[in-house]
Amino acid sequence: MSADRDLVHILASHAADLRYEDLPEEARSAARKSILDTLGVILAASGMEPAVRGVMEIVAESGGRPDCTVLGFGGRAPALMAAMANGALAHCLDYDDQTPWGQHCASSIVPAVFAVAERQGGVTGKELIAAVAAGQDIFGRLRCNVEWKKDWNLSTVLAVFAATASAGRVMGLSASRIAHAMGIATMQSSGVMEMVAGRGSDLRGMYAGFSAKGAVLAAMMAEKGVTGIDRAFEGRYGFMNTYFGGGYDRAGILDGLGRAFLGSGTLYKRWPCVGTAHSHMKAAIDIVQENDLRLDDIQEIRLHVGDYHDLMCQPLDERRAPATLADAKFSLPFLVSVAIARRGMSVSDFSEAGLRDEVVLAIGRKMTLVSDPSLDWKLEMPPGRVEILTRDGRRWLVEGHHVPGNGDNPMSWDDIATKFTECGSVAFARISPEALSDTIGLVGELDRIEDATCLVRRLAIPSALPPS
């Protein structure tokens, strides 16, 4: 591939030209799983995260053509606002899928592709699968090959390009038009890590709404003939130089393009909180279960932390007892406390009452931190370590492995279907068990379906929001 051809054109061609038949089964399976998983966590967030209600009210009052389904809360909205609504819900619980290197893209891609699919109609299941797989691959290639300094929130900064490519593919845009759309998407590529690492912001849960909406807007503008940026990624003042100081591996981004699909390694969460906490949670659960420890037995819990883990622990007192549901899902001491108290975690553990659970808070007060630079985040996050000391002098130091949903303990299709049903059961507006079961079946046979939007229509309900 010519070095004179900007990456934006190469990746756009990849999205436009990819055929369903070119995909290995692992990539097809990952796309199907991500579709079902994302629809499920959207439904769950509608019932479990009160902060998103304001976004839904804005969507409802914006009016416009009722082309697309708003999940969880019901009703219909124009494509842009449906993508915003469903995207804002998709990451709210931090229960959406992730790459093996961290960060999320399906929560941007899936709301975007369904919005444009409903807007135009006639999108087959095979086309939807290929579009999602292309976006997952593009995101993974960018994620693994930029020099990230933990400054930009890659889940939005990069996912807007992946979602734009996927949306453009669903809309049947040419490679040239998708390249224009991805250039336009530079105007929507945003998000700083202080939003994630800081405290008190509801945006941490809602950020995928902005990248999903931005992707749909970029694809729609390109469809109308708006031009993008010829050297959007590699120009002197392009994306790679502006965001990463020119620190990217072009050859790595292109290695195996069209043959290896990085979405195949997508990880699906069994616990509804930030994935970088899961190995600490698993280590703590293993110690407590294998030694049948009661809470009163424990004298001290030491969390061994690298640089990114430490972000989830500072300031320690506030992370032991987070003030908001959004903060709770990113507070390592609180998450480990819940894991010890419940010997696991479920979506129902995050509620206003759960934030005040005295058993969980008492466990948190026993936690201290041990700084360990060997656990700093480079590409893949090293597994966390937890040390527990008991009142009678016993001590264990365990590293977290076989985390439910991780590569060494992956979730099967049946596991994701079970998760989807659990998520659907806590939606803001009641979804019938029959609708949930039908949706699982439809996603399972998506490659044989002529109109993929039947998935969201099966979950659609009249608006459950009262008039504003």
Side-chain angles (χ1 to χ4, degrees):
M1 295 182 185
S2 171
D4 295 331
R5 191 180 181 210
D6 192 273
L7 280 170
V8 75
H9 298 289
I10 298 172
L11 296 178
S13 295
H14 176 51
D17 299 340
L18 178 66
R19 301 180 307 157
Y20 173 85
E21 291 74 19
D22 297 331
L23 292 168
E25 180 52 37
E26 293 84 359
R28 297 174 187 172
S29 176
R32 283 191 295 268
K33 286 179 176 178
S34 289
I35 290 167
L36 184 63
D37 190 71
T38 305
L39 293 176
V41 299
I42 287 172
L43 295 176
S46 71
M48 299 302 295
E49 178 48 78
V52 81
R53 175 73 174 265
V55 175
M56 300 304 125
E57 291 174 352
I58 292 170
V59 170
E61 76 178 36
S62 297
R65 290 169 45 177
D67 291 338
C68 307
T69 302
V70 175
L71 294 167
F73 289 93
R76 298 179 68 79
L80 284 176
M81 297 309 290
M84 177 72 190
N86 294 328
L89 289 164
H91 182 66
C92 259
L93 303 184
D94 215 325
Y95 209 6
D96 47 321
D97 66 25
Q98 60 185 353
T99 77
W101 318 283
Q103 281 82 46
H104 311 267
C105 65
S107 47
S108 299
I109 293 171
V110 173
V113 297
F114 274 111
V116 296
E118 283 198 283
R119 173 178 176 263
Q120 73 177 46
V123 177
T124 69
K126 286 184 176 180
E127 282 298 303
L128 198 78
I129 289 170
V132 171
Q136 290 177 311
D137 187 44
I138 289 170
F139 182 86
R141 291 175 178 279
L142 294 174
R143 166 64 186 93
C144 290
N145 293 290
V146 295
E147 293 182 6
W148 183 45
K149 299 176 182 177
K150 305 179 184 71
D151 43 6
W152 298 108
N153 177 32
L154 298 185
S155 296
T156 46
V157 163
L158 299 181
V160 71
F161 298 115
T164 298
S166 294
R169 165 58 189 266
V170 166
M171 292 167 65
L173 301 185
S174 67
S176 174
R177 284 287 165 213
I178 292 177
H180 283 304
M182 293 174 74
I184 296 166
T186 61
M187 305 300 294
Q188 311 290 323
S189 175
S190 62
V192 295
M193 282 302 291
E194 185 62 25
M195 169 186 64
V196 177
R199 304 178 309 287
S201 173
D202 292 326
L203 288 174
R204 187 186 180 283
M206 301 179 191
Y207 60 60
F210 293 91
S211 43
K213 178 186 176 185
V216 172
L217 177 60
M220 289 172 61
M221 289 177 68
E223 181 187 41
K224 296 295 185 183
V226 177
T227 56
I229 304 169
D230 184 55
R231 292 189 58 78
F233 280 5
E234 297 182 278
R236 180 178 179 184
Y237 303 107
F239 175 73
M240 293 300 181
N241 282 323
T242 300
Y243 282 68
F244 304 106
Y248 70 105
D249 181 355
R250 189 181 206 271
I253 292 171
L254 299 178
D255 185 34
L257 186 68
R259 299 189 306 276
F261 291 85
L262 299 194
S264 300
T266 299
L267 306 178
Y268 304 90
K269 292 184 178 182
R270 193 64 193 93
W271 294 330
C273 63
V274 63
T276 45
H278 287 195
S279 57
H280 284 89
M281 293 163 60
K282 181 60 163 54
I285 292 170
D286 286 347
I287 294 172
V288 170
Q289 284 187 331
E290 291 172 10
N291 299 282
D292 195 26
L293 295 182
R294 297 174 302 161
L295 302 185
D296 288 344
D297 294 333
I298 299 172
Q299 178 175 322
E300 184 182 2
I301 303 163
R302 297 173 181 168
L303 305 179
H304 291 243
V305 298
D307 55 356
Y308 196 79
H309 301 130
D310 192 59
L311 285 177
M312 300 185 286
C313 297
Q314 300 298 338
L316 183 56
D317 284 345
E318 292 184 30
R319 296 299 191 182
R320 288 166 168 159
T324 69
L325 294 174
D327 286 350
K329 299 178 189 74
F330 193 73
S331 295
L332 182 58
F334 181 81
L335 296 172
V336 174
S337 298
V338 173
I340 290 173
R342 308 283 184 258
R343 301 197 179 191
M345 181 177 285
S346 74
V347 70
S348 60
D349 286 321
F350 292 92
S351 64
E352 294 298 334
L355 295 182
R356 299 186 297 273
D357 187 317
E358 186 50 42
V359 172
V360 173
L361 297 178
I363 296 171
R365 289 192 286 270
K366 298 182 180 185
M367 289 192 187
T368 58
L369 306 178
V370 178
S371 179
D372 186 345
S374 72
L375 300 179
D376 287 355
W377 195 0
K378 305 300 183 185
L379 181 55
E380 293 191 35
M381 174 73 80
R385 289 193 283 272
V386 173
E387 190 175 1
I388 293 183
L389 290 72
T390 60
R391 298 184 186 280
D392 61 7
R394 290 176 293 167
R395 172 186 171 276
W396 300 269
L397 176 61
V398 171
E399 194 169 81
H401 293 283
H402 302 290
V403 174
N406 275 12
D408 58 355
N409 188 12
M411 290 181 70
S412 67
W413 173 259
D414 288 343
D415 293 331
I416 293 173
T418 298
K419 173 183 170 180
F420 174 81
T421 302
E422 291 173 356
C423 286
S425 71
V426 298
F428 178 79
R430 184 181 182 276
I431 309 252
S432 72
E434 294 77 18
L436 296 174
S437 178
D438 290 349
T439 303
I440 294 169
L442 289 168
V443 179
E445 59 181 25
L446 188 55
D447 55 350
R448 296 192 291 273
I449 290 176
E450 290 302 311
D451 183 359
T453 62
C454 67
L455 300 181
V456 287
R457 290 200 308 273
R458 189 65 184 97
L459 298 172
I461 57 171
S463 178
L465 285 173
S468 57

